[in-house]
Amino acid sequence: MSLVSGPGRGGGTEEGSPLELCVEKHVEYIKSLDTRRDEIEYWYTEHLRLNGVYWGLTPLHLMNRPDALPRDETIDFVLACQHENGGFGAAPGHDAHMLYTVSAVQILVMLDAVDELEKRNRGGKERVGAFIAALQDRETGVFKGDEWGETDTRFLYGALLALSLLGLLHLIDLDKAVAYVKQCENLDGGFGVRPGAESHSGQVLTCVGALAIAGRLDLIDKDRLGAWLSERQRENGGLNGRPEKAEDVCYSWWVAASLAMIGRLHWIDRAKLTTFILRCQDPERGGLADRPGDMVDVFHTHFGIAGLSLLGYPGLQEIDPVYCLPRQVTARVLQR
Ligand code: ZN
């Protein structure tokens, strides 16, 4: 892969936007997020807090700066979000939900701190596993996000991901979960949010990820799905979520990680995608946006750098496309 290093080179680059990853700027941007408690935006995004920690911590690990956020304080915050039932809320006092519970597990695994659940009398990892397993519908195999009942393949993927990292997949009916995912497959090769729903690359990631964790990628027509996914690349190198939609950095992850899982990442132009992601940086204040020139946020910073890692960008830790965690972390936990 060729990397353009100077500003103004390589198709479509705006004057002055460097085409190198501004590592130090992004580290400073992520560190600054926790010190902005006096800003109104901090409180507006409180419902995302635990996910925000995961979105900040993962790129720091990928950029070889795992200690840029204080480890002990991060663990304290995560554990303060846990409920008696084993699940985690977005912030202390918020209701437990599948998505935050998955983020909590990813953070604890990344920090090698799953043992803290036991040490601090949180019921160990088994209580977390019990919360997740109780959200499976034993008839259909799908998962709810919380006790109120919305179902989504995102929750199914999250459940398999977290339980797999905890070594607790036996708590659920894995065959039923796999059968449900298969029902969400469409004739175009993609997957939707539920059976019969339109294909969307976010749902493709969750369905392919779930099948990868279950060891059932054999159920996928990889050429047909690979064709649909590679059609997501647009002229400027960016990827969209479904036909006729605008490109967005977060789809760099959902599309490219899905392609990587089915062994078809080389079906897109990786150099053009790398250039597109780098153009989404704010080279002054750090962080990445959904597309060039927009406001940065930690969500797109995470998925942009994860995408660059997947594309083999020099100097970044390698990422595991199934778990969206550094590969050295999943290698340690799963011996894979
Ligand atoms: Zn996005």
Side-chain angles (χ1 to χ4, degrees):
M1 181 179 56
S2 71
L3 287 166
V4 184
S5 56
R9 294 169 57 197
T13 308
E14 280 106 7
E15 198 66 40
S17 64
L19 281 176
E20 275 181 0
L21 187 64
C22 310
V23 170
E24 282 312 312
K25 296 282 186 187
H26 300 321
V27 170
E28 288 310 312
Y29 166 72
I30 292 167
K31 285 172 71 175
S32 77
L33 293 170
D34 193 48
T35 58
R36 293 186 183 166
R37 293 173 194 235
D38 52 339
E39 292 176 18
I40 193 74
E41 191 193 347
Y42 181 89
W43 300 106
Y44 278 151
T45 56
E46 197 187 41
H47 63 289
L48 296 172
R49 194 69 67 229
L50 197 49
N51 287 350
V53 174
Y54 164 70
W55 293 328
L57 202 56
T58 310
L60 289 175
H61 278 248
L62 295 174
M63 293 186 293
N64 301 294
R65 295 293 299 277
D67 301 324
L69 292 181
R71 182 176 185 274
D72 290 347
E73 281 175 43
T74 305
I75 295 169
D76 288 345
F77 174 76
V78 172
L79 295 182
C81 297
Q82 193 182 22
H83 285 248
E84 195 59 30
N85 64 9
F88 291 77
H94 286 228
D95 290 342
H97 190 282
M98 176 74 80
L99 294 180
Y100 304 117
T101 304
V102 174
S103 288
V105 170
Q106 287 173 306
I107 295 164
L108 292 174
V109 164
M110 205 165 4
L111 296 176
D112 198 9
V114 174
D115 289 353
E116 295 294 329
L117 291 164
E118 194 80 58
K119 284 186 199 153
R120 302 199 201 181
N121 287 324
R122 299 278 170 173
K125 63 182 186 178
E126 287 74 18
R127 190 177 289 173
V128 182
F131 170 80
I132 295 172
L135 292 171
Q136 187 179 29
D137 180 332
R138 298 284 167 156
E139 290 292 310
T140 63
V142 73
F143 283 78
K144 296 183 285 189
D146 58 25
E147 58 186 314
W148 309 111
E150 184 200 359
T151 63
D152 188 319
T153 47
R154 272 191 309 160
F155 308 148
L156 187 154
Y157 165 62
L160 267 58
L161 186 154
L163 291 174
S164 159
L165 290 173
L166 296 173
L168 296 173
L169 270 179
H170 59 274
L171 295 180
I172 58 164
D173 189 331
L174 192 56
D175 291 341
K176 278 234 167 99
V178 166
Y180 184 85
V181 169
K182 187 67 184 161
Q183 287 174 43
C184 296
E185 188 179 31
N186 292 316
L187 287 174
D188 59 16
F191 292 81
V193 64
R194 57 185 62 84
E198 171 191 22
S199 294
H200 184 286
S201 56
Q203 303 299 331
V204 170
L205 182 279
T206 63
C207 289
V208 175
L211 293 175
I213 292 165
R216 293 310 310 273
L217 286 175
D218 62 290
L219 294 174
I220 295 176
D221 182 336
K222 298 185 181 67
D223 285 344
R224 188 176 62 166
L225 175 59
W228 187 85
L229 286 168
S230 52
E231 283 166 12
R232 303 279 62 75
Q233 189 161 38
R234 295 168 62 90
E235 195 50 42
N236 64 3
L239 302 166
N240 65 12
R242 54 205 155 112
E244 314 300 330
K245 298 288 176 184
E247 65 284 353
D248 183 327
V249 151
C250 56
Y251 298 121
S252 303
W253 177 255
W254 295 324
V255 172
S258 300
L259 284 166
M261 285 190 271
I262 61 170
R264 303 287 186 279
L265 186 56
H266 56 289
W267 284 18
I268 55 170
D269 187 328
R270 287 173 283 184
K272 276 181 89 173
L273 176 57
T274 299
T275 302
F276 173 77
I277 297 173
L278 291 173
R279 287 179 56 219
C280 294
Q281 299 180 100
D282 180 334
E284 258 95 63
R285 297 175 56 215
L288 281 82
D290 56 354
R291 53 187 68 93
D294 283 359
M295 281 281 284
V296 305
D297 61 74
V298 68
F299 175 83
H300 290 95
T301 302
H302 161 70
F303 283 113
I305 293 173
L308 290 174
S309 166
L310 194 67
L311 293 162
Y313 190 87
L316 292 180
Q317 289 282 328
E318 191 185 342
I319 195 159
D320 186 323
V322 180
Y323 292 88
C324 203
L325 288 171
R327 198 181 281 280
Q328 62 182 24
V329 170
T330 55
R332 163 169 55 78
V333 176
L334 304 165
Q335 273 100 46
R336 65 207 289 272

